[in-house]
Amino acid sequence: VPYYSAGIRIEHQIDEKQSAQFQILNGWQNMSENNNAKAIGMQYKNLISPLLTFTYNNFLGDEQVVPNPKTMKFHSRFRGYHNFILQYLASEKWQFLTAFDLGHQAQQENNGVDLWGAMTVTMRRIMNSTEAVALRMEYYNDRHQANVYTGTPNGFEVYSVSSNFDKNLDENSLWRTEVRGFNSKDKIYPKSSSSK
């Protein structure tokens, strides 16, 4: 997250192993502007070795945050986001990735700060030149409901496991089939469905 961003990006290759980006953005997952403030983002990437890559991404800006469902009022609050990724290429067939996210924003009603975080571990196996499979485990904790409002005591605290099969259709397109399951600390997902 964010899943997409729109704006201007400047990239600089520091040396053979390091690169940096500076971004001016419309905001957090905004294709068009929704307030008077722009956001900024930065990226630093370091190819520590041919097998190990470290990447740091961030986002800083004022955002219209999730509205209070009781009042449906939007509030603009300062939001910061930091993403750390470590990718390890164990062999030509095996790839491992771990990521840690930390977000913070000014509270909607008070003067404090709401925090959220996530952690991901991914194992990927390349089967051949066009096919791969992967297993991903994730943990997301938005106790203060800065991104996802649940109205429950623990907010959006979710564990997830997914498995996917990737097929490269050609040089520019990939087909992914994924099975994913979620488990929440609070009862925010239905355990069964009914036609009643």
Side-chain angles (χ1 to χ4, degrees):
V1 288
Y3 297 110
Y4 55 82
S5 57
I8 299 169
R9 177 179 68 192
I10 300 169
E11 187 166 352
H12 174 65
Q13 192 70 36
I14 300 168
D15 56 31
E16 291 182 357
K17 295 186 175 183
Q18 301 176 91
S19 64
Q21 281 183 18
F22 177 75
Q23 304 155 2
I24 300 174
L25 305 167
N26 276 338
W28 184 267
Q29 303 196 140
N30 294 331
M31 297 306 274
S32 59
E33 187 55 86
N34 67 352
N35 60 21
N36 294 326
K38 295 293 182 189
I40 61 170
M42 289 171 273
Q43 181 188 83
Y44 169 74
K45 185 177 281 190
N46 188 335
L47 182 62
I48 299 168
S49 76
L51 304 178
L52 192 65
T53 303
F54 169 76
T55 305
Y56 166 71
N57 301 289
N58 72 13
F59 171 97
L60 303 167
D62 285 338
E63 280 307 302
Q64 288 188 355
V65 297
V66 176
N68 184 326
K70 295 177 183 175
T71 63
M72 289 309 292
K73 289 183 180 177
F74 285 91
H75 301 276
S76 288
R77 293 289 184 260
F78 178 79
R79 170 174 286 194
Y81 169 75
H82 310 274
N83 165 246
F84 305 87
I85 303 170
L86 196 61
Q87 183 176 18
Y88 176 57
L89 306 177
S91 69
E92 291 183 359
K93 299 289 186 182
W94 286 99
Q95 301 174 348
F96 298 90
L97 183 144
T98 184
F100 175 75
D101 298 356
L102 177 64
H104 53 90
Q105 75 178 26
Q107 289 180 344
Q108 295 191 43
E109 305 295 339
N110 302 307
N111 292 323
V113 175
D114 289 336
L115 298 174
W116 76 90
M119 194 168 91
T120 304
V121 176
T122 304
M123 297 172 285
R124 189 167 189 254
R125 172 81 157 103
I126 297 172
M127 310 299 288
N128 53 53
S129 61
T130 61
E131 297 175 334
V133 293
L135 176 68
R136 184 172 63 248
M137 295 166 282
E138 299 173 272
Y139 171 71
Y140 191 93
N141 189 331
D142 185 8
R143 183 169 293 136
H144 300 287
Q145 304 170 60
N147 287 303
V148 182
Y149 184 83
T150 64
T152 59
N154 295 292
F156 191 71
E157 186 174 354
V158 174
Y159 298 87
S160 172
V161 176
S162 62
S163 178
N164 62 270
F165 170 75
D166 293 344
K167 172 78 172 175
N168 289 323
L169 302 178
D170 59 39
E171 191 176 299
N172 298 312
S173 58
L174 176 135
W175 178 273
R176 171 168 289 177
T177 303
E178 184 174 72
V179 177
R180 194 170 188 187
F182 298 91
N183 185 23
S184 172
K185 190 167 186 179
D186 293 333
K187 294 181 179 181
I188 62 171
Y189 296 114
K191 293 230 178 230
S192 61
S193 60
S194 172
S195 59
K196 293 180 182 178

